[in-house]
Amino acid sequence: PVSPNAGNVIISEPSGIKRAAITVTLTPETPGAEIHYTLDGSDPTAADPPYSAPFSISNPARLRVRSFLPDKLPGALALADYSFIDPSLQSYLSDVPIIVMDNFGAGDYPNKGRSNDGRDVVQLPRQPNVISIFNPTANGQPFTSSPTLQSRSGCRVRGSSSSQFTRKPLSLEFWNEADEDRSLAPFGFDSEADWVLNAPNPSFDRALIHNPVSFGFAEMIGAHAPKNKVVVVFQNTNGGTITSSDLAGVYIFSEKIERNRMSVEFDKLSEDGTTGGWMLNIDRMEAIPEGLPVTTTQPNFHAAGPNGILQIPDDQQNSGGSQSVDDISEFYHSYLNFNSPGGYDILPAQRSVVQATTRAMDTAVWSGNFTSQLDSESWARNFIVHNFAKNQDAHVLSTFIYQETPASKIKMGPVWDFDRAYTWKGGPSDTPLWASDRDWYQGLFQNTDFKQTHQDLWQEARRTTATNAALQGLVNEASTGLRSDQVAASGLNFSTWQSRIADLRTWVVSRATYLDNQYESLPTLSPESGFFVSNLQINMTPTSGGTVYYTTDGSDPRASGGGNAPSALAYSSPLTITSRTTITARTRDGSRWSGPVSSYYYLENEIPQLVVSEIDYHPGDPTPSEEALGFTNSGDFEFLEFTNIGTTSVVLTLLNLRGGIDFDFSTSSITNLAPGQQVLLVKNLPAFEARHGTGLPIAGAFFGALNNAGDSLILEDPALDLVLQDFSYSDDAPWPHCADGDGYSLILKNPTLNPDHSTPSNWRCSSLPGGNPGTSDSRPPFAGDPLADQDNDGLGQLLEHFLGTSDTAPGDASDLIQISSTIASDSLIYPTLQVTCLTGADDVTPAAEWSSDLNTWSDLPGNIILVSETLNNDGTATLTWRSVLPATEDRQFFRLKVSN
């Protein structure tokens, strides 16, 4: 049993970096409790100063508070840490975000150090720290505005060789008052607790922006990479206020690679290893967890490699020596380490499954028959990023592979760590397949089809997203806004840095052009794509010799192994098409193939007419029965619904969804959508069916998660560069609030009219909790005489349609329109008009009007305002308007108006 204590204390001012003196109020949870506090971080006792009134703090302080009552234990410790920006920094100029950190004079952040291969390295505890983020402002002085984020945090040095640099990379956790993880969403990223602050070293990362350029390039070509932001950091480790001397320079703030981030989505591996997924990293051995002895075994393993003979035992410690065998990883400093589940937590059955699956893939790679076990496109995309950058550490350090389910193919990614790359590696025009001889890539590039996949993805990216202008744009975006003092604090003269930025801008284009020249050029199709009325003539031309082979059924003209596919045709004369056609063409010159060029041609009356008709972005919490099935996260029940509002069927497999979530409809289990039909995308199919039942029209499961605060959704036909829908929703007013965790979904009103999806008033909440996936809860549109009143109850037919009542039943609406009153925040009483209606009358718009004389009526906010719209869980909603004048004002009248 827990002994009664004096209760908690509420501190009015949260932890953070403050711009000026603050006033702190301490409030006991238990009436009559006496509060004692300290400002030096020590645990207060009854002998410390008692709190009597709000007090001011203007210098760094670590406030600790407890409540006390006679004959009871002291209350729980409450705490807040405050650091202060020196007034001299108010005029500091910055055009990029600033992160300010303070550890209250604790000195350097804990650094575990390194060894050549990670052996005998023991992790250290995180150091308490306080952090605030200041975004750029219109006047260029971010410290004149309040921080956009402030929190306690725990920090320590991360990395291996980089941990020895003058400026240290940091692992950062947002903390609550109990030093526990606290999920926050800096810079609009998804809410998480764990982040990385990487400090570019100009001796290697010559332009200070290798990582953001690489991560941006990875996203550009479809590889997974961390969300990141170029920031400027102030670090105060010697006490006092934060001054200009604490400027630590340019850092890269980014996500940490872990499960369920960066679109790497999988459930935890079950204890027996039969369900869920896992992730490995290829790197030095993982550090021994803090508190364990240096003699602790560091779990790792190898795969047999090219000769098929496993020569390195599990948990081998190579002590930084050379590795003379071909086991994977073949580099002396690199091991296969358990990331999720972690090596120090993994169970024997889990470890057995992970190792067996990885080693089976290893065997398949060296046999050349790996397509059923390894996701070739994922591995090829990651190779493209490292090859483009000429990354020194490619594939053998900071490398991740994962399997989402036991039935999934093993994927590579996300990418990480590009400090030793680009101009540091010399000129751009050499080594067209950089590091292709390392680890499994040595076997993959012996396979003709994998080499072609790599080439195809590169040429497709260059044709579409990774243009010269886009590559230079990555450099410009990452470097724009940095100032001379910020670069100098990073260890680099500003003019030298500017020259290096110019060099990098030239280098990325030269490298891309050099890689382009290694491959057979793409053929050209004219026109490239488009719409036509009755017929269209298509011309095909090889760019540099050879023969163009094409198909008209969407298949690849190149067969596996490098021959011609059975359906491939050699182009000889213009092709005339008279119906919707997909043409896929490649140039063949001897044994060399170009990448594919696919073009889609539509009859004008066949342009897809799709709307996003329902969004369940923040579903209601799981029920006990759903939790018993293992679905404990409300996000598992997310879904989207699309409706074909056109007169012809839509070929879904040509479409793509991107933005906050991703789905490639070429993988859809439903390929065509007839007029008037709906199709669904879900987050988690088993969870969705547990809540909504089976048999609904589900195309598949999307990647990522719908953001509860709002997200963008783009539905497109990428081949035609045709955007069908492009909009963002939000949980902020005037968007319907009832869809934000109250159990309701967002419903598009009047979908057949294809309303502007970005306008909040075109959306409402579903009639009932849970939404109505695959169906519609909209009522039939009004038909009749709006003013007719068949039952003579004073309500016209349009009003009865809105209310959901009958015009043949007098009195059935008598209790649906009520005059009442409410007490507002100013403690005054105001008259209200309350209307209860059946939801789903999307073709009409209600409004309340106010008058003081029954002659002049107004629906303006200066006279009457809508204060609430409450869903009643039975298919009805109650709308409440109130006057802006208190009830003490005489002669106030309301009336309900409905229009369509």
Side-chain angles (χ1 to χ4, degrees), residues 452-472:
Q452 189 67 48
T453 296
H454 164 255
Q455 175 189 330
D456 292 352
L457 293 173
W458 169 259
Q459 291 187 303
E460 175 65 13
R462 287 287 284 156
R463 185 176 72 89
T464 55
T465 57
T467 63
N468 288 347
L471 295 176
Q472 292 187 324

Side-chain angles (χ1 to χ4, degrees), residues 125 179 328 353 372 382 495 630 635 733 760 775 785 845:
D179 294 349
I328 305 297
V353 167
S372 64
N382 275 264
S495 61
T775 60
D785 183 349
T845 303

Side-chain angles (χ1 to χ4, degrees), residues 193-209:
D194 295 313
W195 304 88
V196 172
L197 264 175
N198 195 17
N201 184 328
S203 297
F204 304 102
D205 191 338
R206 293 171 52 80
L208 306 178
I209 57 171

Side-chain angles (χ1 to χ4, degrees), residues 132-363:
S132 290
I133 297 177
F134 294 83
N135 279 338
T137 56
N139 65 2
Q141 299 172 346
F143 290 134
T144 61
S145 295
S146 298
T148 56
L149 179 150
Q150 51 185 345
S151 179
R152 299 184 69 249
S153 62
C155 297
R156 63 189 176 204
V157 176
R158 70 179 310 278
S160 181
S161 57
S162 58
S163 70
Q164 308 304 298
F165 296 163
T166 301
R167 297 191 319 136
K168 314 294 187 186
L170 297 177
S171 171
L172 182 152
E173 281 184 353
F174 292 126
W175 278 359
N176 62 18
E177 291 77 4
D179 294 349
E180 299 168 335
D181 283 3
R182 178 189 184 194
S183 290
L184 294 174
F187 308 113
F189 299 160
D190 290 341
S191 184
E192 291 285 351
D194 295 313
W195 304 88
V196 172
L197 264 175
N198 195 17
N201 184 328
S203 297
F204 304 102
D205 191 338
R206 293 171 52 80
L208 306 178
I209 57 171
H210 285 182
N211 278 315
V213 169
S214 301
F215 297 161
F217 176 71
E219 291 186 347
M220 187 180 285
I221 68 165
H224 296 323
K227 293 179 181 177
N228 65 98
K229 179 73 70 173
V230 177
V231 300
V232 170
V233 172
F234 283 74
Q235 284 179 357
N236 183 17
T237 59
N238 57 5
T241 60
I242 296 158
T243 68
S244 59
S245 65
D246 296 315
L247 176 62
V250 178
Y251 279 67
I252 312 301
F253 182 90
S254 72
E255 292 183 287
K256 176 184 176 181
I257 295 181
E258 55 190 2
R259 184 178 70 90
N260 292 348
R261 297 180 81 169
M262 308 171 212
S263 297
V264 178
E265 305 277 342
F266 58 87
D267 293 333
K268 287 184 178 180
L269 191 64
S270 63
E271 291 187 359
D272 61 2
T274 59
T275 62
W278 52 263
M279 177 184 283
L280 298 176
N281 77 307
I282 304 170
D283 210 325
R284 294 176 174 87
M285 284 181 282
E286 293 285 341
I288 299 167
E290 57 191 76
L292 294 182
V294 70
T295 55
T296 301
T297 298
Q298 295 168 266
N300 67 81
F301 71 103
H302 284 71
N307 69 2
I309 303 172
L310 184 64
Q311 295 164 275
I312 300 177
D314 292 350
D315 304 329
Q316 176 69 50
Q317 324 281 294
N318 280 346
S319 190
S322 62
Q323 180 175 309
S324 59
V325 299
D326 66 353
D327 286 7
I328 305 297
S329 174
E330 62 183 348
F331 277 65
Y332 76 89
H333 54 38
S334 301
Y335 301 80
L336 304 183
N337 301 297
F338 304 96
N339 179 278
S340 180
Y344 297 95
D345 302 313
I346 195 167
L347 301 174
Q350 294 173 325
R351 176 166 180 160
S352 176
V353 167
V354 173
Q355 292 190 171
T357 306
T358 304
R359 286 168 172 162
M361 181 199 73
D362 172 76
T363 300

Side-chain angles (χ1 to χ4, degrees), residues 424-706:
W424 184 79
K425 288 301 298 177
S429 301
D430 59 55
T431 324
L433 293 176
W434 172 262
S436 60
D437 58 344
R438 293 182 180 176
D439 283 3
W440 287 302
Y441 281 107
Q442 178 184 351
L444 294 176
F445 273 99
Q446 294 173 10
N447 182 278
T448 300
D449 290 335
F450 183 82
K451 288 191 290 185
Q452 189 67 48
T453 296
H454 164 255
Q455 175 189 330
D456 292 352
L457 293 173
W458 169 259
Q459 291 187 303
E460 175 65 13
R462 287 287 284 156
R463 185 176 72 89
T464 55
T465 57
T467 63
N468 288 347
L471 295 176
Q472 292 187 324
L474 293 173
V475 178
N476 295 339
E477 181 181 2
S479 59
T480 297
L482 292 176
R483 305 176 67 87
S484 59
D485 64 316
Q486 297 163 347
V487 172
S490 309
L492 194 58
N493 176 273
F494 190 63
S495 61
T496 300
W497 175 76
Q498 289 179 310
S499 176
R500 290 182 177 186
I501 289 292
D503 290 344
L504 181 58
R505 191 181 295 114
T506 300
W507 195 97
V508 293
V509 172
S510 298
R511 177 65 175 169
T513 302
Y514 169 74
L515 295 177
D516 291 341
N517 294 334
Q518 308 305 310
Y519 307 117
E520 184 71 30
S521 299
L522 299 172
T524 58
L525 275 66
S526 180
E528 293 184 356
S529 60
F531 312 109
F532 60 96
V533 177
S534 58
N535 62 74
L536 186 66
Q537 191 175 78
I538 311 297
N539 293 280
M540 307 180 204
T541 308
T543 302
S544 56
T547 302
V548 176
Y549 288 89
Y550 71 95
T551 64
T552 58
D553 59 2
S555 63
D556 192 338
R558 177 188 179 275
S560 178
N564 292 346
S567 59
L569 301 171
Y571 176 80
S572 58
S573 60
L575 176 68
T576 299
I577 60 174
T578 58
S579 61
R580 180 172 57 196
T581 303
T582 302
I583 294 179
T584 303
R586 292 181 186 262
T587 298
R588 182 176 184 181
D589 192 352
S591 62
R592 287 166 53 96
W593 285 89
S594 75
V597 175
S598 293
S599 294
Y600 304 91
Y601 303 92
Y602 279 103
L603 285 168
E604 285 190 353
N605 64 355
E606 293 177 333
I607 298 175
Q609 300 292 316
L610 285 178
V611 298
V612 180
S613 47
E614 186 171 1
I615 308 172
D616 198 1
Y617 68 88
H618 191 177
D621 291 336
T623 64
S625 60
E626 290 167 343
E627 290 184 339
L629 294 173
F631 309 123
T632 58
N633 187 342
S634 64
D636 289 335
F637 303 97
E638 294 175 356
F639 70 83
L640 283 180
E641 178 189 83
F642 302 85
T643 299
N644 179 6
I645 62 171
T647 58
T648 60
S649 291
V650 172
V651 181
L652 293 175
T653 52
L654 302 179
L655 306 181
N656 188 56
L657 178 70
R658 60 183 176 88
I661 58 175
D662 296 289
F663 185 76
D664 182 353
F665 276 94
S666 66
T667 65
S668 174
S669 58
I670 297 175
T671 58
N672 289 272
L673 192 65
Q677 287 188 341
Q678 290 100 359
V679 68
L680 299 164
L681 295 181
V682 303
K683 168 67 175 177
N684 182 321
L685 180 58
F688 177 88
E689 291 184 335
R691 174 167 291 188
H692 298 286
T694 59
L696 292 172
I698 298 173
F702 54 75
F703 292 97
L706 293 167

